[in-house]
Amino acid sequence: GSEPPPSDATLRTHNIRAGVLHLCQALLMLAASLWIDGVKDFRKPLTTNYLVYDERTHSPVNRTRIIGSIQIGVLVASYSLVAATSHALVIVWWRLYLRDINRGINRYRWLEYAVSSSIMVCAIAMLFGCSDLSSLMLIGMMNSSMSCFGLLMELMNSPNRAVDATRWEPFWFGTLAGAAPWIVVLQYFYGGG
């Protein structure tokens, strides 16, 4: 047979341990990002694009301006910090977490993914050359939407439903939203060709 589900105390202990490990990982990555040569200097630019009127050609032309830069190590450290924060919120709102788990819902997981995986996919896009702030915002928002559709899938489909009563709309919408950032990343990976 199948194993019984973990007790509430075991689940709480696992969340505390996972939160502490994520926090330690975030602090180590942050320390490396701030003090290790080569890592602390690894930055990627942030740009914006805008139109200006070219008097010579009498037409609008695109211009790019660097508005700052992001230290990739700090961005990666924030990924683990978000996960640690999520585990801390689970402990703070333990009763809500247990009530949801017993209903087959884990809203903390989906909300944490909405933030942390969006940071991750934006960091990957930047590593492949995407520096446009607007594009990065859209990548992050589409990725967050995917996670929100995952939560909606759990909210709409209780574990004790009949299999043929499953509502698949959130899954398909989430798949569409989640594919968009990776299409952009692949475009940069293959040089936009």
Side-chain angles (χ1 to χ4, degrees), residues 1 13 18 31 34 50 53 60 75 77 83 89 98-99 108 124 129-131 160 186 189 192:
T13 300
L34 297 175
Y50 57 98
Y53 185 74
L75 194 62
L89 292 175
L98 282 181
R99 189 191 74 201
Y108 296 97
I124 292 169
C130 180
S131 63
N160 56 1
L186 287 173
F189 180 75

Side-chain angles (χ1 to χ4, degrees), residues 12-26:
R12 187 179 180 95
T13 300
H14 286 325
N15 270 284
I16 291 170
R17 287 179 180 166
V20 168
L21 287 173
H22 280 296
L23 180 60
C24 290
Q25 184 181 30

Side-chain angles (χ1 to χ4, degrees), residues 15-41:
N15 270 284
I16 291 170
R17 287 179 180 166
V20 168
L21 287 173
H22 280 296
L23 180 60
C24 290
Q25 184 181 30
L27 293 175
L28 288 171
M29 286 190 289
L30 191 58
S33 302
L34 297 175
W35 291 297
I36 295 178
D37 288 335
V39 178
K40 70 180 181 180
D41 302 322

